[in-house]
Amino acid sequence: NIQSFDIFPNPSTDGQSFIHLDTDLAKAYQIRVVDGLGRTIQSLSTLQQSSIFPIELRQAGVYYVLLQENGQTITSKKLMIK
């Protein structure tokens, strides 16, 4: 189970944010950052129970951070870059 899935700072004013993922089991999760058109901007994978990942986005706008397991989206969060 997902204990926490957070993005900070959000909104970001300098294009840099961090994703914090905390789970109760070490499983294979994928994190995808997509733009408003659904294009993948950044993706990464983890097997750790607790991780913090940096994200750098140069273009201002609204992005979606998808947490996936076995190709299925478990949850998503909106990320704003100013």
Side-chain angles (χ1 to χ4, degrees):
N1 291 339
I2 306 300
Q3 301 299 319
S4 67
F5 177 57
D6 301 305
I7 303 169
F8 59 92
N10 189 12
S12 173
T13 56
D14 64 0
Q16 293 190 355
S17 288
F18 295 89
I19 298 170
H20 175 246
L21 175 63
D22 192 15
T23 65
D24 58 358
L25 294 173
K27 287 185 174 182
Y29 291 103
Q30 298 78 42
I31 297 171
R32 287 181 49 221
V33 180
V34 298
D35 65 10
L37 298 175
R39 297 177 294 198
T40 299
I41 305 301
Q42 189 172 351
S43 64
L44 49 102
S45 298
T46 184
L47 291 171
Q48 300 177 10
Q49 282 182 267
S50 183
S51 302
I52 295 178
F53 305 99
I55 297 178
E56 285 192 44
L57 299 167
R58 307 212 186 284
Q59 188 79 18
V62 177
Y63 297 87
Y64 298 91
V65 181
L66 312 176
L67 179 62
Q68 300 178 320
E69 181 182 12
N70 297 324
Q72 299 291 326
T73 299
I74 299 169
T75 189
S76 64
K77 297 238 179 185
K78 188 188 309 186
L79 170 60
M80 296 187 64
I81 304 295
K82 292 186 176 185

